[in-house]
């Protein structure tokens, strides 16, 4: 079974490796949405894979590090594409949760999905 919890944060970034004149090379912000997907067996007693509150607790320090910050200034995010951000979040949560996927949405129609591969 796979379950997920969705989170939001606000942050700014610029993409340093796009061609000159590309709009994403300029500093801009997003209202990011992150889905943290975990997988496991349904506990026969509780009826759930895990408590959603445990996912929230695990993500809280990650969200705090990202929210209202310039992503380029965060170690490991010099080129903060949604692809790099989803891998960066995975690395911070992989020892705390049985991850299945990290979904990062920069806009309602654009984002990335990382499954640890």
């Amino acid at each position: 079974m796979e379950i997920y919890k969705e989170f939001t944060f606000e942050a700014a970034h610029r993409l340093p490796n796009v061609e000159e004149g590309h709009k994403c090379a300029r500093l801009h912000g997003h209202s990011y949405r992150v889905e943290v997907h975990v997988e496991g067996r349904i506990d026969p007693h509780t009826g759930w894979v895990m408590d959603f509150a445990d996912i929230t607790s695990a993500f809280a320090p990650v969200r705090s590090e990202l929210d209202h910050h310039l992503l380029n200034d965060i170690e490991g995010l010099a080129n903060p594409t949604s692809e790099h951000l989803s891998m960066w979040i995975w690395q911070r949560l992989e020892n705390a949760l049985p991850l299945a996927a990290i979904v990062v949405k920069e806009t309602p129609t654009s984002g990335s999905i990382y499954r640890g591969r």
Side-chain angles (χ1 to χ4, degrees):
M1 175 65 69
E2 185 172 316
I3 63 170
Y4 71 93
K5 179 83 174 142
E6 186 174 291
F7 304 92
T8 61
F9 68 92
E10 309 293 326
H13 74 159
R14 64 175 206 78
L15 300 183
N17 299 335
V18 295
E19 66 268 7
E20 187 176 331
H22 192 286
K23 67 181 182 176
C24 293
R26 296 188 300 271
L27 184 63
H28 63 284
H30 292 287
S31 295
Y32 287 91
R33 294 180 103 53
V34 174
E35 294 177 9
V36 176
H37 291 244
V38 300
E39 60 187 348
R41 295 186 183 275
I42 299 172
D43 181 283
H45 178 71
T46 63
W48 59 28
V49 172
M50 71 183 315
D51 190 333
F52 287 117
D54 293 337
I55 301 171
T56 299
S57 294
F59 189 72
V62 176
R63 183 182 183 279
S64 180
E65 196 170 352
L66 299 170
D67 191 41
H68 284 81
H69 288 278
L70 177 59
L71 298 182
N72 300 74
D73 290 345
I74 297 172
E75 187 174 336
L77 290 176
N79 184 21
T81 62
S82 66
E83 294 90 339
H84 285 155
L85 185 54
S86 60
M87 290 188 302
W88 185 90
I89 292 169
W90 179 285
Q91 291 167 353
R92 274 140 190 83
L93 295 177
E94 67 183 332
N95 292 325
L97 297 170
L99 294 174
I102 298 293
V103 178
V104 172
K105 298 176 185 176
E106 289 186 359
T107 70
T109 61
S110 302
S112 66
I113 302 170
Y114 183 64
R115 291 188 172 87
R117 307 186 268 274

